[in-house]
Amino acid sequence: MSLDRAASIDDLRARAKRRIPRFAFDLVDGGAEGERNMRRNTEAFEEVELVPRYMVDVSMIDTKAELFGQTFDLPFGQAPIGMLNAFWPEADLTLARLCKSENVPYVASSAASTTLEELAEAADGNGWFQLYVSGDHTVTEGLISRAEAAGYDVMMVTVDVPAAGKRDRDIRNQLSVPFKFTPEVMLQLAANPVWSLASLRHGKPNIANYADLLQSATSYADVQKTLITPGLTWHQLQQLRDRWKGIFLVKGILHPQDAIKCAELGADGIVISNHGGRQVAFGPPTIEALPAIAEAIDGKLKILLDSGVRRGADILRAKALGADFVLTGRALAYGVGAGGAKGAARAMEILKLELVRALGQLGATSFSSVAASEHSKIHQTH
Ligand SMILES: Cc1cc2nc3c(=O)[nH]c(=O)nc-3n(C[C@H](O)[C@H](O)[C@H](O)COP(=O)(O)O)c2cc1C
């Protein structure tokens, strides 16, 4: 199927699946354990019904969203994704440039396969920095100083990885560090020549911000120890808040009490996220966690939400239940996998057109006017 015939993000995903070797596709597409949480993320969005209101003149529709003093043209941005160049070469830069040209935020992951400095340049004022807190203080501090020097104003600290997620697909695919070219992998490479040649041209992707530190890594355990710590506490999060002069966001919140604590320590916002279902198979979908958090927070900080967003209407569902802004993780990534920069642009176009259409159909002239009391209804099927 050609890119312009792709009608949905799911169509782009299907196209990406045909072009990418299985081990690399699964790396992005997969979720924790049996993937229940990942499935529930999208199902739970579909269960939220919005009730249209008619006889409203919707000939002009405004999709802009104001956040932290900046006006974005659309109410969603790109969530941080590590190692995305393994999915498609130059995926990081492609998405950073797209976000700049569409005037939406791009979040550069600590674990990106492009350095935070290069991504800051590509996103050109629309870049935010996502921090993984390392067990080694000097590693964490090094990243924060670099992010400051690169000009990032927004830092998003991800807190939902006290232990790395167990992803059954990656285990079955025998993903390892350093990467092993098993006979099965060789077959997959041979079956996907476009991907293989493009990847060969761009070199083996790595976790660019830690390239020196990880040179001696011989296992995933080594990589994880450098990137994340099981010892992150509220005390340390407070120190990070005090250390960072700009906007401070906490990503990975699911419990109302944790959201309240983030407000108390002076965060500017939270991202309600379950890491796209990649961490905790037994956890709740984010759209279900949202109403209680929105009630507890009561406007004290900005609420962003991700995990499972595949349709423009999902962005409105999140807004109707109390979110201020949305992030998409895999949606635009599937676009890159489906067709490089053109595929990413197609994914953005699909989400944008769906969003505008859904606003009109809902009887809302702007994203900011979508209100819980007017439109939302939660249809509980379980
Ligand atoms: C391949 C992949 C890598 C990710 N890497 C990171 C990361 O480095 N840091 C982070 O905070 N979240 C990471 N996430 C989670 C995303 O930021 C986001 O929460 C998630 O993708 C949202 O779910 P969705 O993909 O269903 O939209 C990653 C997600 C995927 C799919």
Side-chain angles (χ1 to χ4, degrees), residues 246-280:
I247 302 291
F248 187 86
L249 308 179
V250 185
K251 174 171 182 276
I253 296 298
L254 290 167
H255 197 291
Q257 289 302 325
D258 283 352
I260 289 172
K261 281 189 169 177
C262 289
E264 285 168 359
L265 67 74
D268 299 284
I270 52 169
V271 186
I272 301 179
S273 172
N274 57 30
H275 222 102
R278 293 166 69 78
Q279 283 300 115
V280 180

Side-chain angles (χ1 to χ4, degrees), residues 155-173:
M155 182 166 81
M156 177 184 286
V157 183
T158 298
V159 298
D160 61 2
V161 193
K166 173 175 175 273
R167 297 181 199 125
D168 290 359
R169 290 200 222 182
D170 292 349
I171 297 171
R172 283 187 212 112
N173 291 333

Side-chain angles (χ1 to χ4, degrees), residues 80 82 109 130 132 158 251 273 275-276 278 306-308 310 329-330:
S109 162
Q130 176 264 324
Y132 273 135
T158 298
K251 174 171 182 276
S273 172
H275 222 102
R278 293 166 69 78
D306 74 18
S307 301
R310 299 289 180 274
R330 295 182 187 87

Side-chain angles (χ1 to χ4, degrees), residues 179-214:
F179 187 70
K180 281 198 208 74
F181 287 93
T182 60
E184 199 185 320
V185 166
M186 297 304 282
L187 276 178
Q188 290 178 26
L189 294 178
N192 294 276
V194 177
W195 185 94
S196 301
L197 286 175
S199 298
L200 204 66
R201 243 196 340 272
H202 287 90
K204 207 160 84 182
N206 62 2
I207 303 184
N209 289 326
Y210 310 84
D212 295 345
L213 286 169
L214 293 178

